[in-house]
Amino acid sequence: MRRSAVIAASLALLAAGCALTSTDAVNVVVGYQSKTINTVTAGTMLRAQGYLERRLDDISKRTGTKYRVTWQDYDTGAPITAQMVAEKIDIGSMGDYPMLINGSKTQANERARTEIVSVTGYQPKGALNMVVVTPASTAGAITDLAGKKVSASIGSAGHGTLVRALSNAGINPTTGVEVFNQQPQVGASALESGQVQGLSQFVAWPGLLVYQGKAKLLYDGAELNYPTLHGVVVRRAYAAAHPEVLDAFLQAQLDATDFINTKPLEAARIVAQASGLPQEVVYLYNGPGGTAFDTTLKKPLVDALKGDVPYLKSIGDFADLDVGGFVQDAPLRAAFATRKLDYDNAVGQIDQPSLTGGEVWVDGSDTTLSVADPNALLRAVRDATARGGRVRAAYVHDAEFGTRWFADKSVWVRDGANYLPFDTTAGAHRYVAAHPGSVAVDYQQALAGAA
């Protein structure tokens, strides 16, 4: 090989930010968040199931090229972005705000520059990113946090929910509250100790704290009626140097997505074991009606990202970003074509949260009982308890927004013979105010009264 060709090849490897080791293995460094349920199809479950490694092994058998996968676990998207800026992570998964910050911060360096190539999970109304307060808090609405201290991871999906919620309520998100920039687990401790009066975070932190009895839900992001999403970003230089790795990753993500959608309870067990989260909390999000796990880059989601940009500019230094150019669906379209799947049909489908029904999960059972409406769920819980069974969890859909939530943590309203669940006190109050004769009741009263 001529000297100029050798130099060119060396520069190509340097630009990709990925060196071959002495064993000629291509490094694949993946940044993920083990406790962020909306990203498990590109992180926790993907890793636990070995889907990516198997896909890369198939390539190795065909071509002889070896691959070495390194998984790096983080609490939020910010450190993943920092590592991508430093060209030390090749593929990462994170929420909507963090992805935009990622694109903004990496675009100045061609070797670090990223693009969004798939969605991991989304929620069309923005539910599941939530604001919680202590169980003893007297706050009943987001406006009650005015002048208070609130913990959030600045630039995260949870922070985005807080910013929008406060703005919609007429509260300046930068001066109307004092935001403590904290990692989720630090914020959870700060809330418990009274250092802050509220916590705004992404999944699974609100559900975890409420499940543990350490918090109650104050604000459901579904009130915003604005789509939220998590997705996958890749360094463009790396994808150009190793398109087969990106394709293997997307194929592996499709494997994980198929699994979680067809076997959600088993998937919850796998994610719980790998993340340390309670299986009941994982299943809150990945069960039917929770997070919509769908890889396609849907127009409403891309439009939502474009609408997020002004908010990001309002909270800090955010360089202009061409969101349309940042989102690239060609690799995912190719992955769909390999499987003979219709991408155009899939990308046009939008999940709609349920406003009825729910599930009861009795201890010792490998399945859950699906019910048609909240009254049926209450009867099923009551009957299971009467037979001596322990209900691990019961899930209902908020009667106002359809958000999947814990039945025993919901605020119930009796309206005639019907019992309706609301995930926030404010939601229950709105319903009672609009329906004379209805009355708020606690969970035990609802259980006893359901006919």
Side-chain angles (χ1 to χ4, degrees):
M1 182 182 290
R2 290 182 301 177
R3 183 171 181 272
S4 59
V6 172
I7 293 174
S10 299
L11 289 174
L13 283 175
L14 178 62
C18 134
L20 297 182
T21 69
S22 59
T23 56
D24 290 336
V26 175
N27 287 323
V28 185
V29 184
V30 181
Y32 76 112
Q33 302 168 64
S34 63
K35 289 181 171 58
T36 303
I37 305 303
N38 289 1
T39 64
V40 296
T41 55
T44 308
M45 195 172 73
L46 187 72
R47 180 182 185 182
Q49 294 293 88
Y51 289 131
L52 176 57
E53 287 81 357
R54 288 204 293 272
R55 289 283 178 176
L56 292 173
D57 284 345
D58 289 342
I59 297 174
S60 297
K61 290 173 184 176
R62 294 196 307 269
T63 67
T65 303
K66 302 296 183 182
Y67 299 91
R68 177 179 290 105
V69 180
T70 301
W71 297 87
Q72 296 184 2
D73 186 10
Y74 298 92
D75 291 323
T76 64
I80 297 176
T81 290
Q83 291 295 88
M84 295 186 91
V85 169
E87 305 165 42
K88 293 181 179 179
I89 287 180
D90 307 310
I91 302 171
S93 56
M94 57 193 72
D96 38 21
Y97 273 51
M99 283 194 292
L100 290 169
I101 293 172
N102 182 287
S104 174
K105 288 185 177 296
T106 62
Q107 64 182 335
N109 178 357
E110 280 300 319
R111 295 190 300 273
R113 191 178 182 187
T114 58
E115 60 190 17
I116 299 176
V117 290
S118 70
V119 169
T120 53
Y122 72 94
Q123 226 291 335
K125 288 182 176 291
L128 304 178
N129 293 328
M130 297 169 160
V131 182
V132 297
V133 293
T134 62
S137 173
T138 59
I142 195 71
T143 50
D144 293 329
L145 291 181
K148 301 294 195 301
K149 298 174 181 178
V150 181
S151 176
S153 304
I154 290 183
S156 72
H159 183 227
T161 294
L162 178 66
V163 169
R164 284 186 177 277
L166 292 171
S167 298
N168 285 1
I171 301 171
N172 187 310
T174 56
T175 62
V177 299
E178 184 178 358
V179 177
F180 282 41
N181 182 18
Q182 296 174 323
Q183 294 292 301
Q185 70 273 25
V186 176
S189 297
L191 181 70
E192 190 173 7
S193 66
Q195 295 176 18
V196 297
Q197 287 73 57
L199 174 94
S200 185
Q201 279 297 350
F202 48 85
V203 298
W205 289 97
L208 174 64
L209 295 175
V210 170
Y211 174 79
Q212 293 173 332
K214 297 178 179 179
K216 66 180 179 181
L217 185 60
L218 177 72
Y219 185 87
D220 179 357
E223 287 194 40
L224 298 172
N225 194 26
Y226 193 87
T228 55
L229 66 145
H230 287 67
V232 174
V233 288
V234 63
R235 289 193 300 109
R236 295 188 182 202
Y238 183 88
H242 299 291
E244 81 286 0
V245 173
L246 177 57
D247 182 69
F249 188 92
L250 293 174
Q251 294 289 355
Q253 188 191 344
L254 288 170
D255 294 336
T257 303
D258 288 343
F259 187 91
I260 203 170
N261 284 328
T262 56
K263 300 178 180 179
L265 196 60
E266 185 177 349
R269 177 186 59 77
I270 293 168
V271 172
Q273 290 176 344
S275 66
L277 292 168
Q279 190 175 349
E280 296 86 349
V281 173
V282 176
Y283 193 61
L284 168 69
Y285 297 110
N286 81 344
T291 298
F293 290 98
D294 182 332
T295 60
T296 58
L297 292 153
K298 304 176 189 300
K299 185 178 184 300
L301 302 183
V302 177
D303 289 344
L305 288 172
K306 294 176 181 177
D308 286 335
V309 169
Y311 286 88
L312 284 168
K313 289 185 175 181
S314 74
I315 64 174
D317 183 18
F318 181 83
D320 285 333
L321 177 68
D322 174 15
V323 176
F326 182 45
V327 177
Q328 295 292 329
D329 67 359
L332 186 58
R333 284 181 175 274
F336 265 65
T338 299
R339 293 174 176 236
K340 295 182 171 53
L341 298 175
D342 187 343
Y343 183 87
D344 288 322
N345 178 65
V347 78
Q349 303 297 317
I350 300 291
D351 181 74
Q352 296 299 332
S354 171
L355 291 176
T356 60
E359 286 183 279
V360 179
W361 185 6
V362 179
D363 197 17
S365 176
D366 293 331
T367 61
T368 60
L369 172 66
S370 296
V371 296
D373 55 59
N375 276 31
L377 180 134
L378 292 169
R379 291 195 302 270
V381 171
R382 188 175 64 204
D383 292 346
T385 303
R387 292 193 301 268
R390 185 183 78 87
V391 175
R392 288 187 64 168
Y395 306 97
V396 290
H397 294 282
D398 173 85
E400 185 176 18
F401 300 115
T403 302
R404 180 175 164 91
W405 197 238
F406 297 112
D408 62 332
K409 305 299 183 182
S410 296
V411 181
W412 289 83
V413 170
R414 186 184 72 242
D415 189 355
N418 293 321
Y419 287 84
L420 304 172
F422 296 85
D423 60 2
T424 65
T425 299
H429 286 174
R430 284 191 291 268
Y431 184 90
V432 169
H435 297 80
S438 63
V439 59
V441 297
D442 63 30
Y443 182 54
Q444 293 303 320
Q445 290 173 317
L447 284 175

